[in-house]
Amino acid sequence: MTTTTKAPPIRGKQRAGDRVFSGSAVFAGAMILVTLGAVAIFLIVQSIPALFATSEDASILTTNFWDYVWPLLFGTVWAAALALLIATPLSIGIALFISHYAPRRLASMLGYIVDLLAAVPSVVFGLWGIGVLAPAVQPLYTWLVDNMGWFPLFAGPVSGTGRTILTAAVVLAVMVLPIMTAINREVFLQTPVLHEEAALALGATRWEMIRTAVLPFGAPGMLSAGVLGLGRALGETMAVAMVLSATGAVTFQLLTSVNPSTIAANIALSFPEAYGININVLIATGLILFIVTFGVNAIARWVVSRRKEFSGAN
């Protein structure tokens, strides 16, 4: 009885350019993990002295670290959630108009404008918010408090400057709108043409075709766009620091001068004068923001992967 051995697979000689490109790609991917790990280690090490600090240790604390960080965490999540609530329907509507309704020349021009908005520095949005938006919406806030003050979100007293958490959320929504719109537009353009034509051939109107073919196909992409927008809204610093008149209160009211602050804005405003363990306290708040942002992205990735598995199973 004779045994045969399988010949080893023949591999072609790899070119030098291929080896350089492959090595560069692996190095770039590894550097992402190394950088992320280095940031996490730095934040954890620098935060340890502050996690159990009290007002006797740090002058910026009233009692302990956790009482200090809770209003900031609330303000960060609340402002980002409001911004996402405003920006999501707008970005989807603009993306659908560019991809399926606007003439090609108009769609191209609108696409360029959306891309240019993403390049505007955040400090410019902050100046616009404090100099133009806040004075413009203050009369509207007064009307809302006078006529809809029975609703908890619009309860008074109204802010005299318009620099409220709602104004900051509108500025954040304008800032995250370009990236969300660009992603949604590209996702909608990737919808298979056969799906759209089949819906139209069955007698569907353009909106029915979008509702039955485009939106279901683009759902994972819309979720990804929302997560990217939320990530930028959570970490935005200068625009919020300039627009928001923060008092550190924990409140859901949108139109008053009593507003929560955000972690990023608080770090930017407090860090220049911080010293000693106060610096560790601010770095610890940055660690909290890092964990929240990482958790949001991890949950979104899990939801998108589960949705793809469910779609594949069907």
Side-chain angles (χ1 to χ4, degrees):
M1 183 177 180
T2 59
T3 59
T4 59
T5 58
K6 295 181 63 176
I10 301 175
R11 297 180 180 178
K13 186 177 180 181
Q14 195 176 26
R15 298 178 180 178
D18 294 336
R19 290 196 298 270
V20 172
F21 180 80
S22 176
S24 301
V26 172
F27 176 77
M31 284 303 299
I32 295 177
L33 299 178
V34 171
T35 303
L36 184 64
V39 171
I41 292 173
F42 167 79
L43 291 175
I44 293 172
V45 171
Q46 294 294 323
S47 300
I48 291 176
L51 294 179
F52 304 100
T54 63
S55 57
E56 298 177 356
D57 303 319
S59 59
I60 62 176
L61 299 181
T62 54
T63 54
N64 57 57
F65 172 77
W66 303 106
D67 291 336
Y68 174 76
V69 75
W70 160 240
L72 299 175
L73 179 60
F74 169 81
T76 301
V77 175
W78 182 226
L82 291 173
L84 199 65
L85 187 64
I86 298 171
T88 298
L90 287 176
S91 65
I92 294 175
I94 295 172
L96 285 175
F97 179 75
I98 293 175
S99 60
H100 287 81
Y101 284 93
R104 179 171 298 181
R105 183 172 299 179
L106 178 60
S108 177
M109 183 179 66
L110 289 176
Y112 289 139
I113 293 175
V114 170
D115 294 337
L116 285 175
L117 279 176
V120 177
S122 60
V123 67
V124 175
F125 285 108
L127 291 172
W128 169 74
I130 195 173
V132 178
L133 181 62
V137 298
Q138 201 281 328
L140 174 62
Y141 291 171
T142 302
W143 183 89
L144 288 173
V145 171
D146 292 340
N147 295 273
M148 300 186 63
W150 51 269
F151 190 63
L153 293 179
F154 301 143
V158 66
S159 170
T161 62
R163 297 172 58 186
T164 68
I165 190 70
L166 182 59
T167 305
V170 172
V171 174
L172 286 177
V174 175
M175 294 181 65
V176 304
L177 189 63
I179 186 172
M180 294 179 63
T181 301
I183 294 175
N184 286 328
R185 178 191 63 198
E186 295 303 320
V187 170
F188 295 152
L189 289 174
Q190 296 301 319
T191 305
V193 178
L194 290 177
H195 293 185
E196 299 180 359
E197 293 178 347
L200 294 173
L202 291 174
T205 63
R206 182 178 297 184
W207 164 243
E208 290 173 339
M209 178 270 294
I210 291 174
R211 182 167 55 86
T212 58
V214 177
L215 293 181
F217 177 83
M222 289 189 290
L223 179 60
S224 300
V227 172
L228 287 176
L230 180 61
R232 182 174 183 187
L234 286 171
E236 180 52 44
T237 304
M238 287 309 302
V240 178
M242 296 172 65
V243 174
L244 185 60
S245 178
T247 60
V250 178
T251 176
F252 287 97
Q253 295 177 358
L254 301 178
L255 310 179
T256 69
S257 57
V258 180
N259 299 292
S261 184
T262 65
I263 292 176
N266 181 71
I267 293 175
L269 294 174
S270 303
F271 201 87
E273 300 178 357
Y275 60 91
I277 198 172
N278 294 315
I279 296 178
N280 298 100
V281 171
L282 294 177
I283 293 176
T285 61
L287 175 63
I288 301 298
L289 180 60
F290 178 85
I291 294 173
V292 170
T293 306
F294 187 85
V296 168
N297 282 274
I299 293 173
R301 295 280 297 182
W302 179 77
V303 171
V304 170
S305 62
R306 287 294 300 270
R307 184 178 180 85
K308 289 182 178 179
E309 290 177 2
F310 179 76
S311 300
N314 290 340

